[in-house]
Amino acid sequence: MSPIIAIEEHYITHEIKSLIDNYSSMPAQTHSRLNDHFDLRIKEMDEAGIDIQVLSHNHPGAQIFSPETAADFAMKLNDELATIVSKHPKRFAAFASLPMQAPEIAASELERCVTKKGMCGAMLHGMLKGEFFDLPKYWPVFAKAEELDVPIYLHPGVPDKRVSDAYYKDYTDEFKVFGTAGWGFGIEMSTAAVRMVLSGIFEKHQNLKIILGHLGEGLPFLIDRTHEGITTRQSPNKRQVSFRNTFCKHFYITTSGNFSDSALLCSLMEMGSDKILFAVDWPYNNNKDATSWIKRTKLSPDDYQKITHSNAQKLLNLNF
Ligand code: MN
């Protein structure tokens, strides 16, 4: 038996939907799948041969609440998620959704979700009110993740308005996802990852583990150039950062929404098969497209096992 574990698979809360369900422009079939916690979800998992989904709330999850209500609503959101998992404990695991607008509360919520609810880490989305999460005020969350030995998944969110206006808006009427899944998401999240390396957080938290989706948001292709620029042209007598070493040590990447042989080969060459995990990005991508692709690749049996399940079992401490 060779299970397939998919680790970037989304849903929408029913419990506090009115607070969060602002997806009116979303295609109906995507919306109905996000809202489906069991029936269609499990049917489409079975049809594609996916054994386990690691569930995460759709963007922006608990990041949408005000700092005053964040603790309460995040708890409700995560309790509901734990209940979903408990109905099918052999098919689901979960990433917590954290109220990052109140970092200390987010750190305690992460601890509660991991130690009391059996979750395997947390997912953060994009930026928060124009700020990236590498800023020191957010470090308590990463410190807690390191202490609990769980990863933080950096997932795209809607790009900052200043960026969208300057970079994307001239073409988004015609090409709706240019600023998001078609290009903007990757640019923002690869920037978020490079900033984390520059921030020095990995010098302080040497066992911190970060996950990026979409085969590393373009970074595997750019590691060499980024390393060259950042590592060899630093100011003398300042803190030295090895981009390549830091990125390849602390980051894991998933195949979500990027089922490309050439991108996978590049990722394998730069990061190695211990750092790549299978994901679909359901329901934005189709389960069967993802599983038929991964089965068709010319991965060695060893690498196939690692990417489809054993890396996830180890990183997320899953006991399936
Ligand atoms: Mn996603």
Side-chain angles (χ1 to χ4, degrees), residues 8 10 155 281:
E8 190 196 309
H10 305 302
H155 181 275
D281 202 355

Side-chain angles (χ1 to χ4, degrees), residues 50-65:
I50 290 174
D51 297 275
I52 292 135
Q53 274 193 345
V54 181
L55 302 171
S56 46
H57 199 282
N58 202 56
H59 166 81
Q63 288 172 214
I64 205 171
F65 307 132

Side-chain angles (χ1 to χ4, degrees), residues 300-316:
S300 70
D302 222 32
D303 286 349
Y304 180 84
Q305 302 286 323
K306 286 181 183 178
I307 291 170
T308 53
H309 65 271
S310 66
N311 288 344
Q313 286 167 329
K314 209 187 291 179
L315 179 64
L316 306 180

Side-chain angles (χ1 to χ4, degrees), residues 232-243:
T232 63
R233 299 185 213 167
Q234 280 176 263
S235 312
N237 308 319
K238 294 266 170 75
R239 185 171 53 91
Q240 293 294 300
V241 173
S242 166
F243 180 78

Side-chain angles (χ1 to χ4, degrees), residues 8-10 56 58 123 125 153 155-156 214 256 280-282 284:
E8 190 196 309
E9 319 309 325
H10 305 302
S56 46
N58 202 56
M123 179 176 282
H125 297 277
Y153 202 129
H155 181 275
H214 316 103
S256 61
V280 179
D281 202 355
W282 193 87
Y284 297 98

Side-chain angles (χ1 to χ4, degrees), residues 94-139:
F95 286 119
S97 184
L98 301 180
M100 294 300 280
Q101 53 282 60
E104 294 290 346
I105 293 173
S108 356
E109 180 61 4
L110 175 63
E111 181 161 39
R112 187 185 79 90
C113 289
V114 172
T115 60
K116 305 272 198 295
K117 301 284 174 184
M119 294 193 191
C120 38
M123 179 176 282
L124 309 185
H125 297 277
M127 299 172 80
L128 182 68
K129 296 195 189 317
E131 290 181 351
F132 283 103
F133 291 126
D134 57 87
L135 298 180
K137 69 195 239 192
Y138 300 110
W139 286 19

